[in-house]
């Protein structure tokens, strides 16, 4: 049985994992691209059958075009809708789901068809389990995976500009760079500290390790917001810095989703925690169950010896 | 402005017990305040200002006093509405409740990681604009100015009312209420709304543990584990 998966995208980097997931399910892929011409061009190169392009007007943001996406969704023969986790993409996906009469779920990692039923696999309980959900009708899924590259061997997809209804007055007034973000944002190695560090004076030990690693320092939200050991711009998480180092060494960090969202693009996450049940061990690449006060000096020695 | 602050509308994932075979047991877990719920109240109060008002709205079986102990005088509850895996179904139930509350300028609700579609679907059902990932907001000339972090930038947007804001906390709650405030809050009246339980468009087929069982752990003494870690990272070309 053939079916269509429609992707809602507001930025080019959202598209490859969505398109790959849709193709792997054997679906015909259609993209709804809400953004500038560069986004439309990127969307035409991910192996989709076609691209519906809604151009965002000057001074507006993608969310202003919620009614336009909803109007498309109401008519679309889509069985599945996918978007990435960005606020703008999710805002549009929610509108599409309601207009299409679709169920809406988060954490998606796989989608397939079982007879007439769509099966969605998703991360649940902070990654502790994979849950399978079955939908007999249309379903919209917020995707939770950065992995996958689509087959782009075909020719560029046709881009169909959408004559959008009047946008909502959702206007961007200003965009400012977050203070002091440069070094951390581009660092290849980052050491993050959480509440497992007992005293401010102990940061010196961790900073020595960071220097040995050639790493920038970062922290979880309580370290910056509650304890003020590091300035706000060193806080990594959903409402803080989002970083993409080769290695993120998390020391005494439990791994709450709010923090881990800030390091989801890291190549490898190394977790050091004295609690073997810490949720960070579910998603980290490498882990050491240890007292960081013993492990940090040991790691510094190991780096020196190697 | 008249603001609705939605709180305690999902269960805390920490309340769930995952069995060895991956089955999830929620036991008697009730609706709980999420990490972003304090930010929801802060933003709603800021938007209401001195001349406006904030009312609380909760669903399910959570304790309604949570918001009343944090400065609200009015709360509504829809106890028939339980947790649902379908964010659109939860949103339809919340929209019914908002409709019954009456004239509202803004609904503020957590932009929750575990339920990333609820705020947007709520706005869609109500037919209002939505902005997600909001860290702070203020009223300005009949509109709302909202700030949020996008990547490594902070953007300020202006939106018309009525609208829905999905809030994300930038810090922990500064001063949670004490026992006396909770006791007083439990004496405040709560209005129960008649809201039909949501009908989910998805059905759970089961849960299992992930194929990848978490991190590769290095055992031994601290020195042994450190040496193994350095070797692994060098092997991966990451050092």
């Amino acid at each position: 049985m053939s079916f269509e998966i429609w992707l809602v995208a507001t930025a080019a980097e959202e598209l490859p994992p969505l398109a790959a997931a849709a193709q792997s399910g054997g679906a015909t892929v259609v993209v709804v691209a809400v953004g500038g011409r560069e986004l439309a061009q990127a969307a035409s190169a991910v192996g989709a059958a076609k691209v519906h392009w809604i151009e965002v007007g000057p001074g507006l943001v993608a969310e202003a075009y919620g009614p336009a996406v909803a109007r498309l969704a109401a008519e679309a023969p889509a069985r599945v809708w996918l978007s990435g986790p960005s606020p703008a993409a999710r805002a549009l996906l929610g509108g599409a789901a309601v207009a299409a009469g679709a169920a809406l779920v988060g954490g998606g990692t796989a989608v397939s068809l079982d007879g007439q039923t769509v099966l969605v696999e998703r991360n649940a309980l902070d990654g502790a389990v994979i849950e399978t959900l079955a939908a007999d009708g249309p379903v919209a899924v917020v995707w939770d995976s950065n992995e996958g590259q689509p087959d782009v061997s075909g020719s560029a997809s046709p881009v169909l500009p959408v004559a959008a209804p009047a946008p909502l007055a959702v206007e961007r007034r200003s965009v400012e760079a977050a203070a002091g973000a440069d070094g951390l944002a581009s660092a290849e190695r980052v050491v993050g500290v959480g509440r497992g560090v007992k005293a401010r004076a102990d940061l010196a030990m961790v900073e020595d390790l960071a220097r040995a690693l050639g790493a920038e320092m970062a922290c979880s939200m309580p370290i910056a917001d509650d304890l003020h050991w590091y300035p706000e711009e060193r806080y990594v998480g959903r409402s803080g810095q989002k970083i993409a180092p080769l290695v993120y060494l998390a020391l005494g960090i439990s791994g709450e989703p709010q923090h881990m969202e800030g390091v989801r693009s890291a190549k490898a996450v190394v977790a050091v925690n004295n609690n073997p049940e810490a949720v960070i061990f579910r998603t980290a690449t490498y882990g050491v169950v240890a007292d960081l006060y013993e492990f940090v000096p040991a790691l510094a020695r190991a780096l020196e010896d190697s | 402005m008249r603001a609705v602050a939605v709180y305690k509308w999902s269960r805390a994932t920490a309340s769930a017990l995952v069995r060895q075979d991956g089955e999830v047991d929620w036991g008697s877990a009730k609706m709980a305040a999420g990490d972003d719920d304090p930010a929801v109240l802060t933003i709603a109060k800021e938007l209401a200002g001195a001349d406006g008002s904030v009312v609380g709205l909760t669903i399910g079986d959570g304790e309604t006093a949570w918001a009343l102990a944090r400065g609200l005088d009015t709360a509504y509850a829809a106890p028939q509405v339980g947790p649902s895996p379908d964010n659109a179904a939860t949103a339809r139930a919340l929209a019914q409740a908002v409709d019954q509350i009456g004239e509202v300028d803004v609904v503020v609700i957590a932009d929750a990681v575990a339920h990333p579609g609820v705020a947007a679907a709520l706005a869609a059902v109500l037919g209002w604009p939505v902005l997600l990932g909001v860290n702070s907001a203020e009223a300005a000339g009949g509109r709302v100015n909202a700030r949020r972090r996008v990547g490594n930038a902070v953007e300020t947007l202006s939106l018309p009312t009525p609208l829905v804001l999905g809030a994300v906390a930038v810090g922990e709650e500064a001063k949670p209420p004490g026992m006396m405030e909770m006791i007083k809050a439990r004496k405040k009246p709560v209005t129960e709304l008649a809201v039909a339980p949501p009908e989910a468009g998805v059905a759970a087929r089961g849960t299992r543990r992930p194929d990848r069982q978490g991190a590769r752990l290095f055992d031994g003494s601290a020195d042994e584990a450190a040496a193994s870690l350095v070797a692994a990272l060098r092997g991966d070309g990451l050092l």
Side-chain angles (χ1 to χ4, degrees), chain A residues 105-284:
Chain A
V105 301
T109 57
V111 61
S112 61
L113 205 57
D114 177 20
Q116 301 290 319
T117 301
V118 174
L119 298 180
V120 177
E121 288 200 344
R122 65 168 186 161
N123 287 320
L125 300 182
D126 304 336
V129 295
I130 303 291
E131 182 175 34
T132 302
L133 299 171
D136 291 328
V139 60
V141 185
V142 178
W143 207 244
D144 189 30
S145 171
N146 284 334
E147 296 173 3
Q149 287 296 324
D151 176 3
V152 295
S153 55
S155 55
S157 317
V159 176
L160 311 174
V162 175
L168 303 170
V170 182
E171 300 162 359
R172 180 182 282 124
R173 289 290 163 87
S174 66
V175 180
E176 300 159 18
D182 294 349
L184 183 55
S186 58
E188 289 194 342
R189 286 174 284 279
V190 175
V191 176
V193 292
R195 282 196 182 274
V197 176
K198 294 170 188 161
R200 186 171 198 160
D202 301 337
L203 293 175
M205 169 188 71
V206 180
E207 289 168 355
D208 284 346
L209 173 64
R211 273 189 288 278
L213 271 169
E216 288 280 336
M217 287 300 303
C219 64
S220 62
M221 184 165 70
I223 299 297
D225 174 67
D226 186 19
L227 299 173
H228 304 292
W229 290 353
Y230 284 112
E232 192 180 288
E233 56 266 27
R234 294 279 160 187
Y235 151 52
V236 168
R238 190 155 59 109
S239 53
Q241 289 269 11
K242 294 184 175 58
I243 57 176
L246 291 175
V247 180
Y248 178 64
L249 175 60
L251 300 174
I253 289 175
S254 62
E256 293 298 318
Q258 287 78 0
H259 181 74
M260 299 310 288
E261 192 166 322
V263 297
R264 61 184 287 144
S265 296
K267 184 92 172 167
V269 173
V270 179
V272 180
N273 201 296
N274 62 2
N275 176 10
E277 300 301 320
V279 294
I280 195 167
F281 289 123
R282 295 174 186 167
T283 53

Side-chain angles (χ1 to χ4, degrees), chain A residues 63 90 104 121 130 132 134 169 171-174 176 178 225 238-239 241 258 281 284-287 301 306, chain B residues 35-36 87 111 116 143 148 152 154-156 158 169 172 203 205-206 208 212 215-216 218 223 234 236:
Chain A
E63 287 91 334
R90 285 187 290 118
L104 174 57
E121 288 200 344
I130 303 291
T132 302
E171 300 162 359
R172 180 182 282 124
R173 289 290 163 87
S174 66
E176 300 159 18
D225 174 67
R238 190 155 59 109
S239 53
Q241 289 269 11
Q258 287 78 0
F281 289 123
T285 319
Y286 297 119
R301 287 193 295 273
S306 68
Chain B
D35 292 338
D36 297 314
N87 290 187
D111 188 7
R143 291 173 64 92
R148 67 179 177 185
N152 290 317
V154 177
E155 64 179 5
T156 302
S158 170
E172 295 185 321
R205 283 248 181 124
R208 59 178 169 80
R212 179 175 166 269
R216 177 185 163 195
F218 297 107
D223 284 316
R234 288 211 190 282
D236 292 343

